[in-house]
Amino acid sequence: MNHLPYIVGSYALFLAIAGGFTAAAWVRLGRARRRLAAIDPRGSR
Amino acid sequence: MDASTAFAPPAGGGRNLHRFANPGRFLRASGRVLPWLAAAGLLLTGIGLLWGLFFAPADWQQGDAVRIMYIHVPAAWLASGGYFALALASLASLVWRHPLADLAAAEIGPVGAAATALCLGTGSLWGKPMWGAWWVWDARLTSVLVLFFLYLGHIALVRAFDDPQRGARAGSILALVGVVNLPIIKFSVDWWNTLHQPATITLTGAPTMYVGMLWPLLFSALGFSFGFAALVVARMRAAVMERRIRALLSARARAEAA
Amino acid sequence: MTRKRRRLVLVLACGVGLGAAAALALSALSDSVAFFVTPSQIASKAPAPGRTFRLGGLVEAGSLQKFMDDGKPAARFRVTDGTGAVTVSFVGILPDLFREGQGMVALGTLAPDGTFRAQEVLAKHDETYMPKDIADALKKSGHWNPAAGPPPPASTWNTLVPKKLGG
């Protein structure tokens, strides 16, 4: 493959941004669910 | 303020959209949809990008640098499409005062900004080996940079007020004013001389792209869209729960004080 | 008129006003929004000698000469937009995509003899994405000479199956 550094850079940028946002959303969702379940066990769903 | 009245639909607003104003109903519906959105996003993006990276042919002029297109183009479509969704949510917030629209706008902003950053970054990484420059101030690149700043401004504005209602109102106005930029981005390459090439896929003619490159691009674009939707829905679910936690805590504090 | 309806009308009216203002501003500014000037624009209104600007157009078929200038790679070629043409001289390395029949944008000044002295040359890519064997097949069959202009209509090649024929 020619221009390899630019291609690797692009795919790495994608993985970093998409992975970062997915991990952040996952953590935030899990924390909110746990806190809500602790405060209000009935209506947490 | 009680947790349920915080989300109560406005009197007389028994419209269809307001069905989801109930937080419990939104959480149940979005909880069912989210796994499918996320799975579709992951699967289609994976197929599109692996296909583009390893199986699609190289371009006769660009060589393998054409493979950057499989990220750049879907990111660019989503940057504009996400802004359009942000504007629709802002309209629903400003005109119909839909309680979930504020949340949607606040959560679309950062995801859209990320798509725009990805578009600008990969474009730069393509521009250096192909054009010979990381960046030029032509109308297409400049208008997409303006889009990025609109997203950043919206993110800052909706979080800048103590009263979230006022933040949402100000953010909605900014988002709607910024819609002017969307046709400028789309038609910049036709209206003015730019270094950026015009559109390959148009409504009026056959795409000037070989099918073996078009298929992975379409898979990737579809996957990016599902992934974008999944991220926004997940963030909105978290925001609804966080809002409910705050309402419950303040109700409890008031009950204890009384 | 309900309050919702009034708000909707207000937002739409603001949108129409804003759109009209933006359209007026952009059409007034369109000269400075353009990234480059074309050879025919130079022919009708030449920029002052010594002023730095960007020239854009297609590299004319058969006009590219590459040579060495004081041990550095240099090039001379003509840039055309169909009606006018300007000769460009450049000392430096041309980008990968640079070729005859391809678009390019150069930054530089107009010399008194009418030659454009470029300090920087960028290649412009067109909107076609074509694998090498398809391009070779079109060239070999005489359907396309890349130096002479854009490829034939996309519907004639974008689903072509490249045949590995021995001749």
Side-chain angles (χ1 to χ4, degrees):
Chain A
M1 258 188 214
N2 52 15
H3 305 299
L4 194 61
Y6 300 101
I7 300 170
V8 170
S10 294
Y11 281 76
L13 188 66
F14 164 72
L15 289 178
I17 291 180
F21 267 73
T22 306
W26 189 280
V27 169
R28 185 178 161 196
L29 205 51
R31 185 184 296 159
R33 190 178 290 138
R34 276 194 307 277
R35 282 196 65 194
L36 192 57
I39 296 174
D40 178 19
R42 285 177 299 116
S44 63
R45 278 199 48 85
Chain B
M1 190 165 78
D2 180 79
S4 54
T5 55
F7 292 95
R15 299 272 175 79
N16 266 340
L17 270 175
H18 278 290
R19 278 184 39 214
F20 293 103
N22 179 314
R25 189 173 282 147
F26 171 76
L27 286 180
R28 275 193 301 280
S30 64
R32 272 198 299 273
V33 173
L34 183 57
W36 294 101
L37 284 179
L42 203 64
L43 189 71
L44 293 173
T45 306
I47 292 174
L49 290 189
L50 290 177
W51 188 347
L53 200 49
F54 297 113
F55 302 106
D59 184 79
W60 78 282
Q61 294 182 89
Q62 303 173 53
D64 289 304
V66 71
R67 302 183 196 285
I68 295 173
M69 182 252 310
Y70 301 112
I71 297 176
H72 175 74
V73 170
W77 286 346
L78 272 182
S80 285
Y83 196 89
F84 191 68
L86 176 64
L88 284 184
S90 298
L91 189 70
S93 153
L94 215 53
V95 174
W96 294 283
R97 300 277 146 88
H98 192 286
L100 273 178
D102 291 352
L103 274 181
E107 301 305 335
I108 289 170
V111 186
T116 315
L118 184 61
C119 167
L120 289 170
T122 51
S124 199
L125 285 164
W126 181 86
K128 183 59 188 168
M130 296 295 107
W131 289 341
W134 295 104
W135 180 264
V136 294
W137 292 100
D138 83 347
R140 171 55 75 80
L141 277 69
T142 308
S143 55
V144 175
L145 188 66
V146 168
L147 180 72
F148 184 57
F149 289 143
L150 281 169
Y151 272 124
L152 292 188
H154 184 267
I155 292 168
L157 197 57
V158 293
R159 290 159 177 83
F161 293 85
D162 290 332
D163 176 10
Q165 284 265 302
R166 292 185 61 197
R169 193 82 31 95
S172 298
I173 293 169
L174 174 71
L176 287 175
V177 169
V179 170
V180 180
N181 195 29
L182 290 183
I184 296 179
I185 292 174
K186 167 77 182 115
F187 296 110
S188 55
V189 288
D190 305 321
W191 289 343
W192 302 295
N193 294 330
T194 55
L195 187 61
H196 195 286
Q197 62 266 33
T200 291
I201 299 168
T202 58
L203 290 176
T204 49
T208 54
M209 179 185 286
Y210 185 62
V211 275
M213 301 164 160
L214 193 59
W215 274 113
L217 176 63
L218 293 181
F219 268 87
S220 171
L222 211 56
F224 270 50
S225 308
F226 278 116
F228 190 99
L231 277 177
V232 169
V233 167
R235 293 172 65 105
M236 281 178 70
R237 281 173 63 78
V240 166
M241 289 189 223
E242 284 159 7
R243 198 183 257 198
R244 209 164 172 187
I245 291 165
R246 274 197 303 276
L248 283 170
L249 285 181
S250 68
R252 192 174 290 176
R254 230 175 303 122
E256 277 165 14
Chain C
M1 200 137 94
T2 63
R3 272 164 55 210
K4 274 173 207 168
R5 209 184 161 86
R6 201 161 57 229
R7 289 198 294 258
L8 182 62
V9 169
L10 191 68
V11 168
L12 289 178
C14 288
V16 170
L18 189 72
L24 283 175
L26 285 172
S27 64
L29 289 173
S30 65
D31 276 354
S32 49
V33 176
F35 187 59
F36 55 81
V37 297
T38 57
S40 52
Q41 281 173 323
I42 291 178
S44 65
K45 200 176 78 159
R51 202 173 74 82
T52 303
F53 65 98
R54 284 195 177 83
L55 166 73
L58 294 176
V59 182
E60 203 173 77
S63 74
L64 178 62
Q65 301 162 281
K66 289 184 180 174
F67 52 93
M68 297 301 275
D69 182 12
D70 280 342
K72 277 178 282 192
R76 272 178 89 79
F77 50 90
R78 283 167 68 76
V79 168
T80 172
D81 60 352
T83 46
V86 172
T87 304
V88 177
S89 71
F90 174 64
V91 179
I93 300 165
L94 293 167
D96 286 6
L97 243 52
F98 189 93
R99 62 171 176 82
E100 288 178 359
Q102 177 76 281
M104 71 99 237
V105 177
L107 178 73
T109 54
L110 217 49
D113 65 349
T115 318
F116 186 82
R117 294 195 197 290
Q119 304 146 23
E120 178 193 63
V121 172
L122 302 176
K124 185 168 151 75
H125 185 251
D126 56 21
E127 65 273 33
T128 48
Y129 293 81
M130 196 190 283
K132 191 171 183 311
D133 34 10
I134 300 283
D136 287 344
L138 288 176
K139 281 187 262 184
K140 208 189 283 175
S141 62
H143 287 303
W144 183 32
N145 173 15
S155 56
T156 63
W157 56 262
N158 67 4
T159 53
L160 212 63
V161 179
K163 284 188 219 90
K164 293 275 193 281
L165 290 176

